[in-house]
């Protein structure tokens, strides 16, 4: 700034106002020179921007000339009138210029503020410039750098540390010097935790239920997704993603996606927040009875199979259960997977519903005609049919009448005369049977083979009395005797004691003389038709023959070729009387 010059037309001998003006001018010059004398080199002073060029910024510091600062020292280009702090380097160089430095002023101010922030435990700004061993290099400004340990760089473990390089951050200064040297260590994590606590506290205190919030999908679990609400998490449960069936959370939201959600629950004590996506649409159950009624036949998609049935979605948000017992009229379904798979489109009937519980009971078989309702007409009692054996058990055999409908042939209904288990039946074998009873309600059909022929026991008492002669073949041999099968298939026991004629003979030895298939004549020894049991006797048959021979002999009717002599007959008679 040039000093004010005395005008040539002014006279030093002028009086009046001119003289007063000279006094004021002199006083101002003295005050100005005095102020200049107070400035010291190295002093921090304030200046104002008076001009900005492409390369320099001119600063008025109140001295006789302006200071010049390279424009590179400014992070942002200043405007005319802006205040700038500078250090007075020299009042005047050899060219009469004032030399000032903004960089040195910035450094001095920076350190002043840094020490104050360290003392007051206040955060300072910085920028992460690069990754170094064990952490990061942070530029705090004014050419000052600090070390940020990786453990103090974030509130969570940094999976990709390079992601924070270039970020502008706020940190606490934990250390300025070490061993008398500048060694600055900063902490970002502590600042973030305090900031999060403040934001979280504000959220819980000032956020009402129903508030719309925006967050970012952070991570997934089997039961939903965690949403970052700005440093603290809320849970979007799988059941709150849609009114419909949700199997995988990833089908509804994507990691990193910014999403608008509604706050539906806040637990201030446990610090839990529940969010919802589905509450932006109406609950479909509200309108259920307007669209669906019991006995309606509807279409749906199979969403899930369990051991006890299938879940079927009628529309988004309305899902019903078809129990395994409602799958088929005919088949006894063991596993739902045998008939359905997820994604199948099916027709079903609404059997019932509970609006409060949000449940619908569905039936698959009800959309088909129940074949059991016409079974009694189709297979009348007494009808004869030829069908295939599908399964043989100890109690009998299952016979397939048609697909899904079996009848049972009990072992007791296989033969009037023989007792056994399955009489050699095998799966796949075709046999003729008779329908002997039907119970459609309990789905029970009884079949029989023996009913195809007359019961030989029916008139047995009329045709066979004790002592009546019979003829047959040995069907089987046991330790206690043998079974003789006579015409008609009836089998009777000849006890081994009834094989011998007198006590001297050994019954066991007598039993050894016979084999299966031998032809024998005997007489009826004992009959119990109600129990379908008969016993025969070989000994009594022999006695009967002997009595008849003696009778014929006594009446002179014996033939010449008779094998009995009189002595033999008398011996036999005596033997009989002894018995």
């Amino acid at each position: 700034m040039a000093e004010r010059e005395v005008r040539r037309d002014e006279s030093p001998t002028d009086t009046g106002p001119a003289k007063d003006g000279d006094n004021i001018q002199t006083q101002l010059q003295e005050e100005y020179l005095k102020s200049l004398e107070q400035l010291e080199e190295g002093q921090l002073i304030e200046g104002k921007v008076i001009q900005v060029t492409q390369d320099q910024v001119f600063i008025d510091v109140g001295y006789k000339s302006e200071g010049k600062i390279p424009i590179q020292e400014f992070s942002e280009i200043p405007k005319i009138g802006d205040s700038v702090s500078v250090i007075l380097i020299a009042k005047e160089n050899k060219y009469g210029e004032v030399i000032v430095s903004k960089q040195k002023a910035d450094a001095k101010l920076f350190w002043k503020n840094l020490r104050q922030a360290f003392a007051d435990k206040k955060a300072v700004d910085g920028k992460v410039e690069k990754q170094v061993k064990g952490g990061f290099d942070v530029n705090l400004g004014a050419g000052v750098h600090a070390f940020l340990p990786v453990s103090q760089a974030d509130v969570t473990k940094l999976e990709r540390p390079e992601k924070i390089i270039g970020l502008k951050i706020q940190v606490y200064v934990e250390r300025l010097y070490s061993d008398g040297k500048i060694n600055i260590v900063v902490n970002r994590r502590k600042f973030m935790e305090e900031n999060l606590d403040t934001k979280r506290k504000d959220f819980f205190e000032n956020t009402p239920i129903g508030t719309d919030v925006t967050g970012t999908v952070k991570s997934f679990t089997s039961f939903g997704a965690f949403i970052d609400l700005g440093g603290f998490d809320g849970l979007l449960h799988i059941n709150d993603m849609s009114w419909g069936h949700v199997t995988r959370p990833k089908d509804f939201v994507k990691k990193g996606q910014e999403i608008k959600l509604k706050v539906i629950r806040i637990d201030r004590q446990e610090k839990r927040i529940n969010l919802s996506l589905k509450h932006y649409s109406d609950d479909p159950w509200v309108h259920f009875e307007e669209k669906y009624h019991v006995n309606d036949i509807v279409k749906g998609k199979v969403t899930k199979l369990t051991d006890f049935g299938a879940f079927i979605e009628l529309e988004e948000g309305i899902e019903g259960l078809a129990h395994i017992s409602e799958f088929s009229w005919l088949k006894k379904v063991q596993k739902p997977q045998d008939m359905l798979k997820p994604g199948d489109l099916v027709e079903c009937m609404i059997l019932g519903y509970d609006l409060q519980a949000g449940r619908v009971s569905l039936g698959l078989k009800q959309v088909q005609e129940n074949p059991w309702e016409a079974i009694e007409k189709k297979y009348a009692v007494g009808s004869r049919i030829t069908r295939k054996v599908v399964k043989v058990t100890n109690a009998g055999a299952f016979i397939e009448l048609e697909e899904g409908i079996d009848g049972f042939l009990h072992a007791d209904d296989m033969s009037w005369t023989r007792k056994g288990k399955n009489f050699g039946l095998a799966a796949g074998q075709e046999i003729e049977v008779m329908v002997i009873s039907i119970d459609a309600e309990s789905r029970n059909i009884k079949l029989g083979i023996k009913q195809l022929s007359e019961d030989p026991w029916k008139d047995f008492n009329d045709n066979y009395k004790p002592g009546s002669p019979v003829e047959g073949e040995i069907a089987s041999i046991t330790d206690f005797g043998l079974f003789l099968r006579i015409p008609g298939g009836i089998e009777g026991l000849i006890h081994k004691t009834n094989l011998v004629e007198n006590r001297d003979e050994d019954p066991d030895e007598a039993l050894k003389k016979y084999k299966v298939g031998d032809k024998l004549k005997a007489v009826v020894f004992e009959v119990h038709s109600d129990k379908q049991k008969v016993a025969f006797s070989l000994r009594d048959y022999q006695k009967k023959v002997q009595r008849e021979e003696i009778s014929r002999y006594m009446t002179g009717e014996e033939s010449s070729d008779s094998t009995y002599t009189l002595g033999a007959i008398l011996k036999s008679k005596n033997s009989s009387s002894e018995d």
Side-chain angles (χ1 to χ4, degrees), residues 245-473:
H245 181 79
V246 179
T247 303
R248 298 189 335 138
K250 293 181 180 180
D251 293 338
F252 284 81
V253 292
K254 306 298 180 185
K255 189 173 182 179
Q257 176 186 356
E258 188 173 275
I259 187 170
K260 182 181 176 182
L261 300 163
K262 193 174 288 291
V263 178
I264 57 173
R265 282 182 293 276
I266 292 180
D267 188 336
R268 290 175 172 82
Q269 186 174 354
E270 297 292 332
K271 302 297 182 187
R272 292 177 180 170
I273 305 166
N274 284 82
L275 307 169
S276 174
L277 191 58
K278 73 179 184 183
H279 282 82
Y280 286 108
S281 60
D282 289 338
D283 183 351
W285 284 97
V286 173
H287 309 290
F288 180 87
E289 291 185 315
E290 299 172 10
K291 301 172 65 175
Y292 302 102
H293 309 88
V294 173
N295 295 329
D296 281 356
I297 294 179
V298 294
K299 290 183 179 180
K301 182 173 72 173
V302 178
T303 58
K304 182 181 178 183
L305 299 178
T306 69
D307 292 339
F308 52 84
F311 286 95
I312 300 172
E313 185 181 61
L314 305 185
E315 64 175 79
E316 184 178 351
I318 296 180
E319 193 173 66
L321 172 66
H323 193 270
I324 194 169
S325 61
E326 306 295 343
F327 275 32
S328 172
W329 292 114
L330 302 176
K331 295 180 181 179
K332 187 175 181 181
V333 182
Q334 300 295 333
K335 296 186 298 182
Q337 292 86 345
D338 293 340
M339 292 188 65
L340 299 172
K341 64 181 182 299
D344 283 351
L345 295 176
V346 296
E347 276 193 326
C348 50
M349 179 180 285
I350 296 177
L351 306 181
Y353 60 86
D354 184 341
L355 292 180
Q356 295 298 321
R359 295 175 180 171
V360 183
S361 177
L362 304 173
L364 295 173
K365 67 184 182 183
Q366 285 78 6
V367 299
Q368 304 291 333
E369 182 181 357
N370 184 359
W372 285 96
E373 293 178 355
I375 200 74
E376 293 179 354
K377 293 180 180 179
K378 194 171 184 180
Y379 300 99
V381 173
S383 58
R384 301 164 72 108
I385 55 176
T386 300
R387 293 291 188 273
K388 187 182 295 184
V389 178
V390 292
K391 185 179 179 181
V392 178
T393 70
N394 289 335
F398 288 95
I399 313 298
E400 183 181 58
L401 304 188
E402 58 185 67
E403 185 179 2
I405 297 181
D406 294 342
F408 187 66
L409 171 62
H410 196 278
D412 292 342
D413 291 312
M414 293 185 185
S415 172
W416 292 112
T417 57
R418 291 185 293 163
K419 302 298 179 184
K421 292 183 179 180
N422 53 46
F423 299 96
L425 293 180
Q429 178 182 354
E430 285 198 350
I431 59 173
E432 185 180 20
V433 292
M434 178 179 286
V435 179
I436 58 177
S437 72
I438 293 180
D439 185 345
E441 186 174 346
S442 62
R443 300 184 182 182
N444 188 6
I445 302 175
K446 291 184 179 180
L447 307 173
I449 293 177
K450 70 182 184 181
Q451 288 80 2
L452 297 171
S453 60
E454 287 292 329
D455 181 2
W457 290 98
K458 184 177 179 181
D459 301 321
F460 190 85
N461 278 342
D462 296 336
N463 299 326
Y464 296 95
K465 302 291 184 182
S468 299
V470 295
E471 185 174 355
E473 67 177 29

Side-chain angles (χ1 to χ4, degrees), residues 435-553:
V435 179
I436 58 177
S437 72
I438 293 180
D439 185 345
E441 186 174 346
S442 62
R443 300 184 182 182
N444 188 6
I445 302 175
K446 291 184 179 180
L447 307 173
I449 293 177
K450 70 182 184 181
Q451 288 80 2
L452 297 171
S453 60
E454 287 292 329
D455 181 2
W457 290 98
K458 184 177 179 181
D459 301 321
F460 190 85
N461 278 342
D462 296 336
N463 299 326
Y464 296 95
K465 302 291 184 182
S468 299
V470 295
E471 185 174 355
E473 67 177 29
I474 297 174
S476 61
I477 299 174
T478 69
D479 292 339
F480 51 84
L482 54 85
F483 285 91
L484 185 68
R485 183 183 299 130
I486 65 175
I490 292 177
E491 294 182 7
L493 173 68
I494 301 178
H495 197 273
K496 61 184 179 182
T497 56
N498 288 323
L499 291 174
V500 295
E501 293 188 55
N502 56 61
R503 296 175 182 175
D504 294 336
E505 292 186 68
D506 184 353
D508 290 319
E509 290 298 321
L511 188 62
K512 294 178 181 179
K513 298 178 182 178
Y514 301 97
K515 64 181 182 297
V516 173
D518 285 353
K519 305 289 186 180
L520 287 180
K521 293 180 179 180
V523 296
V524 176
F525 182 69
E526 192 174 6
V527 178
H528 295 284
S529 295
D530 56 333
K531 297 180 181 180
Q532 296 186 341
K533 288 185 177 181
V534 61
F536 301 127
S537 173
L538 185 62
R539 181 184 65 182
D540 288 345
Y541 173 76
Q542 292 173 340
K543 288 182 179 181
K544 177 180 176 62
V545 171
Q546 290 173 3
R547 286 195 296 269
E548 290 176 350
E549 290 292 340
I550 291 174
S551 175
R552 284 196 296 272
Y553 175 78

Side-chain angles (χ1 to χ4, degrees), residues 83-101:
S83 293
V84 179
S85 296
V86 294
I87 294 291
L88 182 60
I89 303 299
K91 293 181 180 181
E92 191 174 344
N93 63 5
K94 64 181 181 179
Y95 302 107
E97 297 174 330
V98 175
I99 306 301
V100 294
S101 173

Side-chain angles (χ1 to χ4, degrees), residues 79-251:
K79 299 187 293 293
I80 295 174
D82 286 352
S83 293
V84 179
S85 296
V86 294
I87 294 291
L88 182 60
I89 303 299
K91 293 181 180 181
E92 191 174 344
N93 63 5
K94 64 181 181 179
Y95 302 107
E97 297 174 330
V98 175
I99 306 301
V100 294
S101 173
K102 180 181 180 295
Q103 280 186 340
K104 291 186 178 182
D106 288 345
K108 188 169 185 177
L109 285 172
F110 171 82
W111 278 100
K112 179 184 177 181
N113 294 333
L114 188 64
R115 291 188 182 94
Q116 193 64 47
F118 175 67
D120 296 342
K121 293 183 171 52
K122 290 185 177 180
V124 297
D125 295 329
K127 182 178 180 181
V128 182
E129 290 202 337
K130 60 182 178 180
Q131 189 173 356
V132 296
K133 184 177 181 181
F136 303 89
D137 177 77
V138 179
N139 186 347
L140 300 180
V144 178
H145 291 253
F147 175 67
L148 173 61
V150 68
S151 61
Q152 306 303 321
D154 208 314
V155 290
T156 58
K157 183 180 179 181
L158 288 172
E159 299 295 337
R160 296 176 59 193
E162 67 275 8
K163 288 185 68 175
I164 71 167
I165 295 175
L167 290 183
K168 291 182 178 181
I169 61 175
Q170 287 184 291
V171 293
Y172 283 117
V173 180
E174 302 230 319
R175 187 175 71 192
L176 287 175
Y177 302 97
S178 176
D179 297 329
K181 297 179 180 180
I182 297 174
N183 187 0
I184 305 173
V185 177
V186 293
N187 188 329
R188 181 184 181 228
R189 177 175 181 172
K190 185 177 180 181
F191 174 81
M192 294 178 69
E193 287 175 341
E194 290 180 358
N195 191 43
L196 288 178
D197 287 342
T198 301
K199 291 171 66 175
R200 186 184 292 111
K201 182 179 179 182
D202 178 69
F203 186 94
F204 279 98
E205 290 179 353
N206 301 310
T207 305
I209 300 298
T211 300
D212 291 339
V213 295
T214 300
T216 303
V217 180
K218 181 180 177 181
S219 61
F220 292 98
T221 70
S222 59
F223 52 83
F226 285 105
I227 310 299
D228 184 356
L229 298 176
F232 55 95
D233 295 343
L235 174 64
L236 174 58
H237 196 275
I238 193 171
N239 294 333
D240 295 316
M241 291 182 173
S242 168
W243 293 110
H245 181 79
V246 179
T247 303
R248 298 189 335 138
K250 293 181 180 180
D251 293 338

